[in-house]
Every structure is written in C-alpha cells, then in structure tokens.
Amino acid sequence: MKNLVIVGFGGMGTYHVELVSAADGITVTGAYDISSERMQVATEKGLETYQSFEAVLADEKVDAILIATPNDSHKDLAIQALEAGKNVVCEKPVTITSADLEAILTVAKKENQIFMVHQNRRWDADFLIVRDMMQKEAKIGNVFHIESRVQGANGIPGDWRHLKAQGGGMVLDWGVHLLDQLLFMTDSRIKTVSANLSYILGNEVDDGFTSIIQFENGLTALMEVGTTNYVKLPRWYVKGTEGTAVITDWDLSGEIVGPNRDVAKVEPKPIQAGQGLTKTMAPPSEESTTHSPIKKIEPDMSGFYDNFAAVLNGEAEPIVKNEEVHRVLRLIEAIFEAGEQQKVVHFQE
Ligand code: NAD
C-alpha cells in the first residue's frame, strides 16, 4: 500500500480523499494546509496533519504527495517534493507556463521520481463516449468537427482564480480540461489556432474563451468556456460523415441523428422560414433519418489513482503522460497569443 499526503486541503484537495479511497493500492494518510481551519477539517476526517511542508517531506513513510494548492505554487512545491525523494501528483493546470513544467520534469528525471498530473476528465463518461466516436467505427462515420463546451452563469469562483499572478482565469481553469481531452483523442498534429478571450466581467483574467483549432487531418474543433451563460449550449456537438451527435450535459442526455440508408433519399420540401422559403434548411423527414440514444457509460472514479498506484509499483505506464500535458500547455500559450494579438497562430509541433 502506498501512502499519499495531500498538500492544499481546500475544495479539490479534500475531494481527493474520496478519489483515492475508490482506488486500489494507495491510501491517504495525511494532509498539510497553510490554513488552520483546513487542518481542522483534515483532523476531523481522521488524517494525520503536519505543521509544515518540510515536515511532510521529512516523513519517511510518505511515498507520494498530491499538490492541490493554487496554480502559481505548483512548480516550487513539486520541485521541493521531488528533490526530497517523493513521487508527486499535481493538480491541473500543472503550471502556468510550459517552461515551468519543463523545470519540474528536469528535476523529476534527475531524482528518478514519478510525476503525474491529475487530468481526471480523461475518465469522464461524456468524453469517453466522444472518444469512442473518434477512434472506433462510429455510428456517425468519420468525425470531422467537434464542439466542446462548458458554460455557467456564476462568473469566476473563489478568490485566487481572479488573479493573473496566481494562474487564474478560465483558459487555465477549465480550458486545460477541454484541451487535454481534445488532444488525447485526436491523432493528428495541430495546424492553426485562433481564439477570442472574454473579459466581460472586468477581471484581470479571462472569464471565458472560444478557440477554433484546426488539425492537419482536416478535423476542426471549437472549444468554449463561458461563465456568463444563463442559457447553456450542449456539452458536445459532434459532426461525422454519417450523422451528428449531441450530448447535452454530464447526465449523458442527447442523441445521435443520421441518415436512414434503408430508404431512398427523399428530396426535402421547401418550408416557410421567417419571411422566406428554404429547402436547404428544411428538416429531413422522419423516415429518412435514424435517431439513436447516447450509450451510457458508468463514470470511473478510481481510474486515475488505480493507474498512479500501478505506475508507482512499476506495473503500468502513466495514462496521463507528461509530454501530453506539456503539449496542452503549449496549446494554451497559443490560445493566449491568438486571443491577445487577434491573429491565427500556426502551431509548431
Ligand atoms: P481552494 O482555494 O479551495 O484550495 C486551495 C488550498 O490550498 C487552500 O485550502 C489553501 O489554504 C491551500 N494552500 C495555499 N497555498 C498553500 C501552500 N503553499 N501550502 C499548503 N497549502 C496551501 O482551491 P481548489 O479549488 O481546491 O484548487 C486547488 C487546485 O486544484 C488548483 O490547482 C485547481 O486548478 C485544482 N482543481 C482541480 C480540479 C479537477 O477537476 N482536477 C477541480 C478543482 C480544482
């Protein structure tokens, strides 16, 4: 059994107790937070608490440390932990820049310790369904366009997420999840990146963004994070050569609609649309289309930590690879460049 100590016992740090308890071969033994109130919560959960980060590093029974502090502190904490001979799980976004991640990876290599980033949304059921559409013989044929969105109306939450110096803003917060999912399921080099950053709430960091990413294999992806959306668009909208899939929300509601190849193609009849007539935009007739439900997949709560424990035991390769995480950070940098300079960035792979 491997012992994990959580550093940063806030909202997400506390949730890791649940995540780890669902996994095999690893257990949470303790926690450290600079806030005494959070340490009290850890004590109430039956965890050993530490008086300092150095005390965690000095504890020989600790095999691994989870870093779940605000984004700007990940780099220094990770480097200190690795230099103390600890394995590290780090929350997303791993660092604010790709250069900072490179600095961590240099130390991890030198110290021969495992460093893995908690890109937990690779195990989200909605994502796994879309990944299947991309990678397997899919009902909707060859996927050529993906729209991946998360939208809320609550603005940027909390305190440090509002601050640039702490790595706040929605590109780094939610964008990193959506972009990680996109690159994980797409087997092609990125060609171009364009983006629009939203500052509608008046923060110094973005409160959302829209980015269009073009891949060399012809796939286009529209990625969007919004915190000012009182009406939400679907979580996923996926177009293939044989149909369109919509996954409305994390409850996996939605459907796949495509042509019914068993009936002869019926020419659409013109419909009245506003002040005009249209055949182009007339809905296909019921008999000429098929409707299928989105297949349900059970969420896998333990996927990340099962893999991390197996990696620690030398029994598996990391599912979240550091070079993939680095590529996502480079894509984030391209999105900022495209958004701030209002230009199309030609991505260098
Ligand atoms: P939070 O503000 O709720 O918690 C952060 C905690 O870190 C606080 O309790 C704070 O006192 C503590 N802290 C700050 N500096 C510290 C230090 N130097 N040493 C020890 N403790 C310190 O924030 P959160 O929402 O829990 O986010 C924490 C991290 O988790 C962020 O990197 C965030 O992006 C990430 N996160 C990931 C997910 C996910 O789904 N993977 C979800 C939410 C948050």
Side-chain angles (χ1 to χ4, degrees):
M1 187 61 83
K2 299 293 182 187
N3 296 330
L4 180 90
V5 167
I6 297 175
V7 172
F9 205 65
M12 194 57 189
T14 309
Y15 184 56
H16 277 259
V17 177
E18 228 174 287
L19 295 174
V20 175
S21 71
D24 290 327
I26 185 160
T27 184
V28 176
T29 55
Y32 167 64
D33 196 294
I34 50 171
S35 145
S36 55
E37 279 166 33
R38 298 312 302 169
M39 295 277 265
Q40 184 58 35
V41 176
T43 305
E44 283 160 18
K45 286 189 176 290
L47 297 178
E48 180 177 353
T49 54
Y50 295 82
Q51 290 312 307
S52 66
F53 185 52
E54 289 69 28
V56 180
L57 301 185
D59 186 346
E60 283 184 1
K61 69 176 184 302
V62 177
D63 300 298
I65 288 172
L66 161 74
I67 299 170
T69 55
N71 302 338
D72 60 318
S73 55
H74 294 176
K75 178 190 171 191
D76 287 350
L77 293 172
I79 287 177
Q80 280 184 64
L82 292 163
E83 285 178 341
K86 304 298 185 195
N87 300 290
V88 173
V89 173
C90 186
E91 261 304 345
K92 51 50 61 175
V94 57
T95 46
I96 301 175
T97 66
S98 57
D100 282 355
L101 174 58
E102 287 158 25
I104 295 176
L105 296 182
T106 303
V107 178
K109 193 169 174 201
K110 181 165 158 263
E111 301 293 337
N112 200 21
Q113 299 298 322
I114 306 293
F115 180 80
M116 252 173 91
V117 181
H118 190 235
Q119 292 297 163
N120 49 323
R121 293 195 177 278
R122 291 190 185 189
W123 284 267
D124 280 8
D126 56 291
F127 164 67
L128 293 173
I129 291 166
V130 175
R131 192 178 70 148
D132 266 10
M133 289 178 194
M134 292 278 288
Q135 296 182 341
K136 295 190 182 150
E137 199 52 37
K139 256 202 171 73
I140 60 169
N142 285 333
V143 173
F144 59 88
H145 180 72
I146 291 181
E147 298 188 12
S148 172
R149 291 189 174 82
V150 288
Q151 296 177 324
N154 300 320
I156 301 174
D159 42 18
W160 60 265
R161 279 183 175 79
H162 293 252
L163 303 174
K164 201 173 170 65
Q166 294 215 266
M170 284 297 124
V171 174
L172 283 166
D173 194 49
W174 260 102
V176 71
H177 281 304
L178 304 195
L179 298 165
D180 179 69
Q181 290 178 333
L182 175 69
L183 297 194
F184 189 50
M185 68 180 163
T186 304
D187 186 16
S188 176
R189 282 148 53 120
I190 301 166
K191 208 163 109 183
T192 61
V193 179
S194 55
N196 203 33
L197 303 164
S198 165
Y199 292 93
I200 204 82
L201 296 175
N203 295 280
E204 62 177 9
V205 294
D206 70 282
D207 51 57
F209 73 98
T210 307
S211 176
I212 293 178
I213 299 158
Q214 286 191 307
F215 291 87
E216 281 186 358
N217 69 359
L219 178 79
T220 53
L222 190 160
M223 315 300 284
E224 190 170 345
V225 175
T227 56
T228 54
N229 303 70
Y230 284 87
V231 178
K232 297 202 301 185
L233 291 168
R235 171 73 187 85
W236 295 95
Y237 179 78
V238 184
K239 291 206 294 181
T241 47
E242 289 294 314
T244 304
V246 177
I247 304 179
T248 316
D249 221 325
W250 285 292
D251 64 4
L252 308 184
S253 52
E255 66 172 341
I256 298 171
V257 184
N260 184 352
R261 298 286 179 208
D262 296 336
V263 301
K265 193 167 187 289
V266 187
E267 266 305 300
K269 295 191 179 64
I271 56 161
Q272 176 90 35
Q275 295 297 309
L277 287 181
T278 177
K279 256 201 305 192
T280 320
M281 298 305 160
S285 68
E286 272 307 308
E287 62 276 13
S288 64
T289 50
T290 58
H291 293 254
S292 327
I294 299 293
K295 74 168 181 187
K296 303 288 174 195
I297 295 183
E298 279 302 310
D300 180 1
M301 291 286 286
S302 64
F304 177 86
Y305 275 110
D306 280 340
N307 179 240
F308 180 65
V311 173
L312 289 185
N313 290 325
E315 293 161 0
E317 284 296 307
I319 292 175
V320 180
K321 296 186 173 46
N322 290 322
E323 56 270 27
E324 296 166 346
V325 176
H326 185 258
R327 186 168 175 240
V328 171
L329 279 182
R330 288 199 55 244
L331 177 54
I332 284 177
E333 287 165 348
I335 287 174
F336 280 124
E337 186 185 345
E340 283 160 9
Q341 298 178 27
Q342 284 297 291
K343 68 175 197 188
V344 176
V345 172
H346 294 265
F347 195 78
Q348 301 296 319
E349 291 276 12

